[in-house]
Amino acid sequence: MTATGGAATAVWSEEGTGGPLAGVRVVDMTSVGMGPYATQILGDMGADVIKVEAPEGDVFRSSAPAASPGMGAVYLNLNRNKRSVTLNVKQSADLDKLLALVDGADVFISNVRPLALTRLGLGAEALCARNPRLIHVSAVGFGQDGPYAAAPAFDDIIQAMSGLADVQGRNAGAPAYVNTILADKTAGLTLAYAIPMALYERERSGLGQAIEVPMFETLVSFTLIEHMGGRSFDPPKGPMGYGRVLSLHRRPYRTADGFLALLPYTDAQWKRFFTLSGQEELAGDPRYASARERAHHFDELYSDLSRTVETRGTQEWLDLLREADIPHSKVNSLEDLFEDPHLKATEFFRQVEHPTEGRLVATAPPVRFSRTPAAIRRPAPRQDADRGLLDPQA
């Protein structure tokens, strides 16, 4: 079943394949990263997601590379398991068509700025009056009761504002972005768990409600879990920042011939590591003897670790650490992932035939349900591919 490139062959699942959200209809008026990531997850879980695009289409349709215009790689990776219609909601006829879709929906989600949405008659108050069971979701940059409410928000901006760029660049001497759209995806995951929660509550109350997920507050919360540090207390009991992950020496370690990820964590693991590396004397070093003491000496500990790892080759370390049951890994490149034995065994990469884009490689939904499995049911659609949904009889 394994095909070239390490991907398992697959076909699109039958239209009726269910998942835990089968029967839920989502009208998705989002674009770019945050909203589409959330709605793709809902689609993977069985929801019927109708992607409503403006005439100019989702910005990520223009991402490179692409096999044909309007079907860029990032768009393809964010929009499977959806159907697409195009509407210019500034025109009354198209707005009426959107309202008809919403009348039959369980969830309406948009990343249009709330004031603009309200002016169109698509705010939570108006739509929930039409459809009292509707879950109305606003994917926004900032909470709407603060001074930044109307400000534009994109991933780079939110990484900078949230403190993440500061944390990421502290050891380099200048702020730095994480090399993935982390703010978009973190907020998207937050959307993806908030919506089923509201659907669950609706089963009890019979009523929908409005949800607001702001990128800024979401990423601040995400970043400060470990980096609140001493400011977790009032008055503060020390500086902000979690020393272990901020250590200059916390990084993949250079071996004699490559790199290695290594993290002895418990007292027992550190003792085993000191023994197998021929440093038994460090096992009794009071600086490293307990988690409490190590927390005050991470820079020294990781510096010692770095020098030790350089003395042997990568494969020798992998063998020794596996035998000693100490957390470790080789450092994979992006390309290495296609040859990873675990991802091959779990058939994580799937080859699928897109009706217009040819053979694609997709990642499988990572969550597994025993009775209602997630599935890749539909390819990412070409724009307005499902125009028939706007027929009143659809």
Side-chain angles (χ1 to χ4, degrees):
M1 188 173 181
T2 300
T4 58
T9 56
V11 296
W12 303 109
S13 299
E14 293 183 6
E15 205 63 18
T17 298
L21 291 179
V24 172
R25 174 167 281 195
V26 179
V27 174
D28 174 16
M29 209 164 83
T30 68
S31 61
V32 195
M34 174 186 177
Y37 185 46
T39 54
Q40 176 163 285
I41 292 170
L42 301 182
D44 286 354
M45 299 304 151
D48 177 19
V49 180
I50 301 170
K51 184 177 179 71
V52 179
E53 298 183 70
E56 61 271 23
D58 190 322
V59 171
F60 267 153
R61 284 187 177 275
S62 300
S63 65
S68 60
M71 298 296 282
V74 182
Y75 167 80
L76 292 171
N77 290 331
L78 280 172
N79 289 282
R80 69 186 182 210
N81 284 335
K82 302 178 187 180
R83 299 189 279 177
S84 171
V85 298
T86 297
L87 292 171
N88 182 352
V89 296
K90 295 179 181 178
Q91 298 180 355
S92 59
D94 277 7
L95 180 59
D96 287 343
K97 291 174 182 177
L98 176 62
L99 290 171
L101 286 178
V102 173
D103 286 345
D106 298 285
V107 179
F108 171 78
I109 177 172
S110 171
N111 63 349
V112 176
R113 296 187 195 184
L115 285 177
L117 209 61
T118 298
R119 285 195 294 268
L120 290 166
L122 299 174
E125 185 175 352
L127 292 189
C128 290
R130 293 178 62 99
N131 180 355
R133 288 176 56 82
L134 184 70
I135 309 300
H136 185 286
V137 187
S138 294
V140 295
F142 307 93
Q144 294 301 290
D145 52 357
Y148 303 157
F154 292 91
D155 191 275
D156 290 4
I157 307 305
I158 299 300
Q159 286 201 36
M161 293 184 70
S162 67
L164 183 63
D166 168 52
V167 167
Q168 188 68 12
R170 283 197 176 189
N171 292 330
Y177 297 132
V178 178
N179 289 335
T180 185
I181 52 172
L182 189 73
D184 273 319
K185 291 190 284 189
T186 302
L189 287 169
T190 304
L191 282 165
Y193 75 65
I195 291 168
M197 287 180 181
L199 290 169
Y200 176 75
E201 192 281 333
R202 190 184 70 175
E203 292 303 301
R204 297 181 170 187
S205 68
L207 296 173
Q209 61 181 302
I211 300 174
E212 179 183 281
V213 176
M215 290 176 71
F216 178 48
E217 289 95 316
T218 297
L219 204 62
V220 170
S221 174
F222 178 88
T223 302
L224 291 186
I225 286 171
E226 76 274 36
H227 289 300
M228 186 77 84
R231 291 292 294 271
S232 300
F233 305 93
D234 188 12
K237 293 185 182 296
M240 297 183 73
Y242 178 35
R244 188 185 77 78
V245 300
L246 290 176
S247 172
L248 175 65
H249 302 288
R250 176 185 174 258
R251 60 182 184 270
Y253 298 107
R254 185 178 293 278
T255 67
D257 57 7
F259 289 91
L260 177 77
L262 171 61
L263 185 60
Y265 204 81
T266 66
D267 293 350
Q269 288 168 356
W270 276 109
K271 288 178 181 178
R272 292 201 300 273
F273 176 76
F274 291 139
T275 298
L276 72 85
S277 63
Q279 298 174 299
E280 289 86 350
E281 72 282 359
L282 291 181
D285 190 318
R287 297 173 301 165
Y288 307 154
S290 69
R292 180 182 179 86
E293 291 304 316
R294 289 193 296 274
H296 296 292
H297 299 95
F298 279 128
D299 276 343
E300 300 156 75
L301 177 60
Y302 286 176
S303 179
D304 284 343
L305 187 62
S306 180
R307 289 191 294 271
T308 301
V309 173
E310 282 187 317
T311 63
R312 304 184 187 190
T314 302
Q315 189 58 55
E316 183 179 359
W317 277 120
L318 292 174
D319 294 340
L320 287 168
L321 295 166
R322 182 174 57 253
E323 180 67 25
D325 194 25
I326 294 171
H328 68 283
S329 173
K330 60 176 287 195
V331 179
N332 283 327
S333 67
L334 294 176
E335 292 76 14
D336 289 338
L337 295 174
F338 283 94
E339 301 305 322
D340 183 272
H342 181 85
L343 296 178
K344 282 186 173 182
T346 59
E347 297 183 351
F348 180 75
F349 293 107
R350 310 286 174 87
Q351 283 194 343
V352 291
E353 291 291 335
H354 192 286
T356 62
E357 306 310 298
R359 181 171 291 181
L360 303 177
V361 177
T363 58
V367 180
R368 297 187 178 189
F369 294 79
S370 62
R371 290 190 299 102
T372 56
I376 304 176
R377 295 172 290 114
R378 298 188 183 100
R382 295 192 68 84
Q383 187 168 358
D384 212 26
D386 300 284
R387 189 76 185 173
L389 287 169
L390 302 176
D391 186 326
Q393 306 303 315

